Amino acid sequence: MTDTIAEHASADLTAGTPLVAMSGVGKAYGAIRALEGVDLTVRAGEVTCVLGDNGAGKSTLIKIMSGLHPHSEGTLTVDGKEVRFGSPRESLDRGIATVYQDLAVVSLMEVWRNFFLGSELRKGRFPLAPLDIPRMREIADTELKKMGIHVKDINQPIGTLSGGQRQCVAIARAVYFGARVLILDEPTAALGVKQSGVVLKYTAAARDAGLGVVFITHNPHHAYMVGDHFIILKLGRRVLDRTRAEVSLEELTGEMAGGQELAELSHELQR
Amino acid sequence: MSTPVATQSPPTPSSPDGPVRVQRSLGARVLGRPEIGAFAAAVVIFVFFFVIAPPFRTVEALSTVLYSASTIGIVALGVALLMIGGEFDLSSGVAVTTSALASAMLSYQLSLNVWVGVIVSLVISLAIGALNGWLLVKTKLPSFLITLSTFFVLQGVNLGVTKLVTGTVATTNIDQLDGFDSAKAIFAGDIPLGFMTVKASVVWWLVFVAVASWILLRTRTGNWIFAVGGNQDSARAVGVPVAKVKIGLFMGVAFMAWFLGQHLLLNFSTVQAGLGVGNELIYIVAAVVGGALLTGGFGSAIGAAIGAFIFGMTTQGIVYAGWDPNWFKTFLGVMLLLAVLVNLYVKNSASKRT
């Protein structure tokens, strides 16, 4: 599994190199400030976990990195160059791939069509050039097989796969197409324990292959299993920024659960 | 919250029996095709009229049925692609008339070659389609509202402009103009096939179906159409140019509407300004009966053709059987309901886990 990911990962990735750096990044939607003053560095071969409750600004953060919404303040640098993404295509071209929790795949389309969506192989470069269907089928089939993802039939609609399998196909696709930074948006949120395990294992494999991984979640247990660096967002601001050595799971869980607020609440509700 | 994290090791994804891949059964694959329901219905309806209406059994009747189907099927094809792309168009019926009127009036009033009208009306039609698509992409309003507006605007323009220019609600006969014969041969000629003669529109229709089917299943554009209709946000996130695909699809419908408009004009040499109202729904029904989902992401070009063929058979079959043609609309309604139920079943079984 790890071998296959390493095969496709860019050769120039050395663990620890900063790939994406955000400095004082903020985003305002009209009068609402969804995010402000966030500093974050994604390094090759590391998993950066972004934790936070609903509405903490996690989605806004990914949308900025993946090019769905441009940031309105601060700087975003990719490989040392300052950028401001106008579309997901620009972000993808820089090697940043995002796997979304709910919109990772088009469920009525076949597995292989999903695998190649947006990067189809064609037998020519002219408009309406025919697709190279046999090759796409074969590549998708071998890649998934090598990565240990069980698909009964590569031609079945992807909606017939389980949630975990769909996530894995989406991750495999991003890695296959040379992603250097992988953003995973709540990959385990809708999954059972077993399925989450598969996805987490995959995340670790991508990290070991030298990719920079951004793991967005509200589950500190899942984050702690794979994370190297933890950032907690609350109401659009960064409230915690520690490396794995500096924080324990208990602290992370406590902070996520509300920390001081929770202590007050439990005091109030004491019977 | 007390889960012992350290011991919660992720299970290995590879089971001992290894990755065994099997084809889904033939039955499952056939039942997963969008056009299967329409195909079954077409066979039943064909047999039905064949048995009860003796005149239906002749080759001439088949030719008439095919012609009737082609006049529905050409635009229904564009509409089906648009619906697979997740949108629909209520202005397609009157857009057909707009194209015919523009072509006729331009050629006649300026005494130009018919071909000039044909080309200029193509530009006008494509502009209307592009405007529909552009408004949709810019405003993000439902296509229902955008194209309903276009429908009313065009309906008014068709009658208003025709009356201003000609003083009546029909265009003047154009069959004496230069280029009429060659244009008629292309758009509305008779094509002998040996055993029967068909209208050129039938041949064009089948060519369009083949091209559309190929685009849908064998090109990147087709992949994008399915993706945009199936899950727009997901498609955008992997780099599919959603806006371009949608505008392109509206222009595709406009192209088909232009073609049918030219066919009608050249076939009858004149065109009524009030024509086409209500046809947009017939096109949509043909696409839906052919397996296109109203919500997008599923359907086929062949399905839309079968849908149109069903309606071609029924409009003519009712006449051959000697019934009151007014029953056609009732039949249309029943077919639509049945088709929607079949589509719902197909969609559910296609996205059911196996």
Side-chain angles (χ1 to χ4, degrees):
Chain A
M1 180 154 107
T2 314
D3 296 345
T4 334
I5 289 187
E7 236 168 70
H8 293 296
S10 306
D12 63 341
L13 289 172
T14 6
T17 326
L19 299 172
V20 176
M22 286 180 146
S23 161
V25 163
K27 171 77 188 174
Y29 295 99
I32 300 155
R33 291 170 71 92
L35 200 67
E36 57 181 306
V38 169
D39 298 331
L40 181 156
T41 311
V42 184
R43 291 171 198 280
E46 283 188 10
V47 177
T48 306
C49 295
V50 178
L51 296 110
D53 208 348
N54 297 337
K58 296 180 308 230
S59 310
T60 311
L61 189 75
I62 336 168
K63 281 175 182 159
I64 292 171
M65 270 197 262
S66 62
L68 280 166
H69 293 320
H71 53 285
S72 47
E73 45 193 78
T75 56
L76 171 64
T77 41
V78 177
D79 297 320
K81 278 190 220 100
E82 194 178 331
V83 289
R84 199 181 138 86
F85 295 133
S87 78
R89 190 76 255 174
E90 288 175 39
S91 168
L92 279 168
D93 290 343
R94 293 289 193 134
I96 301 173
T98 313
V99 176
Y100 295 94
Q101 172 203 347
D102 47 350
L103 43 90
V105 295
V106 183
S107 41
L108 283 170
M109 289 174 82
E110 296 101 316
V111 175
W112 66 269
R113 282 191 195 265
N114 264 291
F115 193 91
F116 280 93
L117 186 61
S119 316
E120 293 85 354
L121 301 179
R122 300 191 294 163
K123 295 174 181 165
R125 299 194 59 78
F126 50 96
L128 299 186
L131 293 172
D132 196 345
I133 293 174
R135 230 178 102 217
M136 285 198 281
R137 278 204 181 115
E138 208 204 291
I139 292 175
D141 201 21
T142 10
E143 288 306 315
L144 296 182
K145 214 179 269 182
K146 274 198 266 180
M147 295 177 179
I149 301 166
H150 289 261
V151 187
K152 266 194 201 154
D153 178 0
I154 203 80
N155 298 315
Q156 75 193 84
I158 202 161
T160 58
L161 301 184
S162 72
Q165 280 177 315
R166 270 179 285 177
Q167 283 298 332
C168 287
V169 172
I171 297 174
R173 165 175 77 185
V175 173
Y176 178 76
F177 287 108
R180 308 172 70 234
V181 176
L182 194 59
I183 304 173
L184 304 176
D185 176 18
E186 309 242 354
T188 58
L191 304 181
V193 175
K194 193 175 170 189
Q195 298 282 355
S196 299
V198 177
V199 173
L200 288 171
K201 216 174 144 145
Y202 230 80
T203 311
R207 172 198 64 199
D208 295 342
L211 274 81
V213 180
V214 182
F215 190 91
I216 317 273
T217 182
H218 57 239
N219 185 329
H221 298 274
H222 288 165
Y224 205 74
M225 272 192 268
V226 290
D228 296 293
H229 201 117
F230 303 91
I231 285 172
I232 296 184
L233 294 178
K234 198 170 277 174
L235 299 173
R237 288 168 180 278
R238 194 181 59 172
V239 295
L240 178 140
D241 181 1
R242 304 265 173 84
T243 61
R244 191 181 181 85
E246 293 165 352
V247 71
S248 69
L249 176 62
E250 285 67 34
E251 279 177 75
L252 214 52
T253 316
E255 194 65 43
M256 261 304 287
Q260 190 58 37
E261 287 168 42
L262 192 73
E264 281 167 22
L265 184 67
S266 73
H267 181 73
E268 265 178 55
L269 295 177
Q270 216 159 35
R271 291 187 295 169
Chain B
M1 279 299 173
S2 62
T3 326
V5 174
T7 58
Q8 198 183 16
S9 74
T12 41
S14 53
S15 48
D17 54 4
V20 181
R21 227 158 287 252
V22 289
Q23 281 256 302
R24 284 177 302 152
S25 70
L26 184 69
R29 275 179 293 147
V30 167
L31 283 178
R33 294 295 313 157
E35 58 272 353
I36 186 67
F39 182 74
V43 171
V44 170
I45 292 165
F46 186 83
V47 170
F48 176 73
F49 282 119
F50 200 87
V51 170
I52 67 151
F56 188 81
R57 294 169 204 164
T58 60
V59 175
E60 290 73 37
L62 181 63
S63 170
T64 314
V65 163
L66 281 173
Y67 175 65
S68 174
S70 75
T71 58
I72 296 171
I74 288 173
V75 187
L77 186 61
V79 169
L81 260 58
L82 180 69
M83 286 179 63
I84 295 171
E87 305 294 340
F88 67 88
D89 189 348
L90 291 175
S91 67
S92 56
V94 286
V96 169
T97 313
T98 306
S99 112
L101 290 170
S103 177
M105 286 192 282
L106 198 84
S107 313
Y108 186 82
Q109 301 299 330
L110 304 176
S111 302
L112 297 169
N113 191 298
V114 166
W115 282 102
V116 176
V118 168
I119 302 297
V120 173
S121 64
L122 172 61
V123 174
I124 294 173
S125 289
L126 289 179
I128 294 169
L131 181 71
N132 270 337
W134 184 80
L135 283 173
L136 178 97
V137 170
K138 281 291 154 201
T139 62
K140 298 187 167 64
L141 285 169
S143 47
F144 180 88
L145 290 175
I146 304 263
T147 59
L148 187 63
S149 316
T150 322
F151 165 76
F152 283 120
V153 170
L154 290 182
Q155 201 184 338
V157 166
N158 285 354
L159 287 161
V161 173
T162 311
K163 221 160 186 188
L164 272 182
V165 173
T166 68
T168 65
V169 288
T171 61
T172 327
N173 201 315
I174 62 159
D175 62 5
Q176 299 304 315
L177 294 178
D178 290 344
F180 180 83
D181 294 329
S182 62
K184 178 162 183 165
I186 299 284
F187 286 95
D190 288 314
I191 295 180
L193 293 178
F195 62 100
M196 68 173 173
T197 305
V198 293
K199 276 280 178 196
S201 63
V202 174
V203 176
W204 280 114
W205 172 46
L206 298 177
V207 170
F208 290 147
V209 170
V211 171
S213 197
W214 191 76
I215 289 179
L216 267 184
L217 299 173
R218 292 279 177 271
T219 71
R220 186 172 74 177
T221 311
N223 227 24
W224 290 354
I225 293 172
F226 278 110
V228 162
N231 192 338
Q232 184 173 324
D233 297 327
S234 172
R236 181 162 181 251
V238 293
V240 173
V242 174
K244 275 190 203 163
V245 172
K246 294 221 160 166
I247 294 174
L249 286 170
F250 275 103
M251 290 175 77
V253 176
F255 176 83
M256 294 305 189
W258 164 78
F259 188 91
L260 184 66
Q262 301 311 302
H263 165 76
L264 295 175
L265 170 65
L266 293 158
N267 201 30
F268 303 109
S269 313
T270 172
V271 55
Q272 299 286 328
L275 216 68
V277 178
N279 285 355
E280 63 283 340
L281 295 178
I282 295 184
Y283 305 143
I284 291 171
V285 174
V288 172
V289 167
L293 276 184
L294 268 175
T295 46
F298 196 68
S300 79
I302 310 246
I306 299 176
F309 185 66
I310 288 178
F311 293 132
M313 262 193 307
T314 319
T315 40
Q316 302 308 317
I318 287 174
V319 176
Y320 288 128
W323 300 338
D324 181 353
N326 289 319
W327 288 104
F328 174 68
K329 288 282 161 63
T330 309
F331 170 80
L332 202 71
V334 173
M335 278 306 290
L336 178 62
L337 188 63
L338 288 176
V340 174
L341 291 173
V342 170
N343 287 355
L344 186 72
Y345 171 78
V346 169
K347 188 194 174 185
N348 286 344
S349 56
S351 43
K352 197 170 55 191
R353 292 184 191 175
T354 49

